[in-house]
Amino acid sequence: MQSREKQPVSAASLYPTVVSRAKILLSLLKINPFGKLTTNDLTKDKTHPFSVFRGRTELYSFPESQSEAAARVQENVRQFNGNYIFVFVIFFLLSLYKQPIPFLTLLASFPVTDYLDKLIIKTGLDQAYPFVRRLLFFISKLGIAALLMRTEVVIAFFFSLLAAYFAMMLHGALRILHE
């Protein structure tokens, strides 16, 4: 009975594969994943959130070329855009989970601007001085933006957006297209 011995994998044979796959993944940074997205894609029936992230392993493989990776990403963004938005929301909420002050600041910013706008309309400033309404609304937005910057909500937003973008690109490139 012959025993099969595993052949050791040398670094020299592994290097071209790693480099080519890295080039394929880095080429995804040059494409616009939303290039083929239309308004009809945003309104069609979707799969349940996260159902595309779990599943059989045969649904995933590494693309053979840069053009195949780009085509996969664009098509998967068309099919699963709602799921990718859901991933962003989850990342954003998780980034604010341990920070109650920024989260409450974000939630309080919406009613404050709404209240100021209704107060301006109620006092009649919008009819007498339309510029004053715009100016006060701009000042309130500027103040809220400064407050959100101070409480690091904007930083959490951009890091969540960045994490969701990379998750979308990686998932889109690795998921095989359905014919």
Side-chain angles (χ1 to χ4, degrees):
M1 186 178 228
Q2 282 184 323
S3 65
R4 291 188 182 178
E5 293 183 22
K6 291 187 177 180
Q7 297 288 332
V9 179
S10 68
S13 66
L14 195 59
Y15 180 74
T17 305
V18 170
V19 169
S20 69
R21 289 185 176 188
K23 283 182 181 179
I24 289 172
L25 289 178
L26 288 174
S27 73
L28 294 177
L29 297 175
K30 295 187 289 185
I31 68 162
N32 178 8
F34 308 106
K36 292 185 179 179
L37 197 62
T38 64
T39 54
N40 292 335
D41 296 328
L42 299 173
T43 59
K44 67 180 180 182
D45 290 336
K46 301 290 180 216
T47 57
H48 296 293
F50 291 115
S51 65
V52 297
F53 296 109
R54 63 176 198 266
R56 303 175 312 272
T57 56
E58 60 265 7
L59 293 177
Y60 298 92
S61 73
F62 208 86
E64 298 294 325
S65 67
Q66 294 175 357
S67 60
E68 181 185 356
R72 282 186 186 186
V73 167
Q74 289 178 335
E75 185 60 31
N76 283 325
V77 166
R78 283 185 64 235
Q79 289 180 3
F80 306 117
N81 55 41
N83 294 330
Y84 296 138
I85 292 169
F86 192 68
V87 167
F88 163 71
V89 169
I90 294 297
F91 278 141
F92 186 58
L93 291 176
L94 286 176
S95 68
L96 292 176
Y97 173 68
K98 296 267 183 172
Q99 305 173 9
I101 300 299
F103 185 65
L104 293 175
T105 304
L106 179 66
L107 290 180
S109 67
F110 299 116
V112 167
T113 54
D114 193 40
Y115 174 74
L116 288 174
D117 195 41
K118 287 183 181 180
L119 186 66
I120 290 170
I121 292 172
K122 185 178 178 182
T123 59
L125 286 175
D126 63 326
Q127 298 296 323
Y129 307 102
F131 177 74
V132 171
R133 176 183 181 195
R134 285 190 218 124
L135 182 66
L136 289 175
F137 194 71
F138 176 74
I139 290 171
S140 70
K141 286 289 189 184
L142 195 61
I144 288 172
L147 188 61
L148 291 176
M149 286 289 278
R150 175 81 174 121
T151 58
E152 300 175 355
V153 172
V154 176
I155 294 169
F157 178 83
F158 283 118
F159 277 123
S160 301
L161 190 62
L162 188 66
Y165 182 78
F166 282 125
M168 174 189 72
M169 295 298 274
L170 190 61
H171 176 264
L174 297 178
R175 185 170 172 93
I176 298 172
L177 296 176
H178 294 288
E179 300 300 326

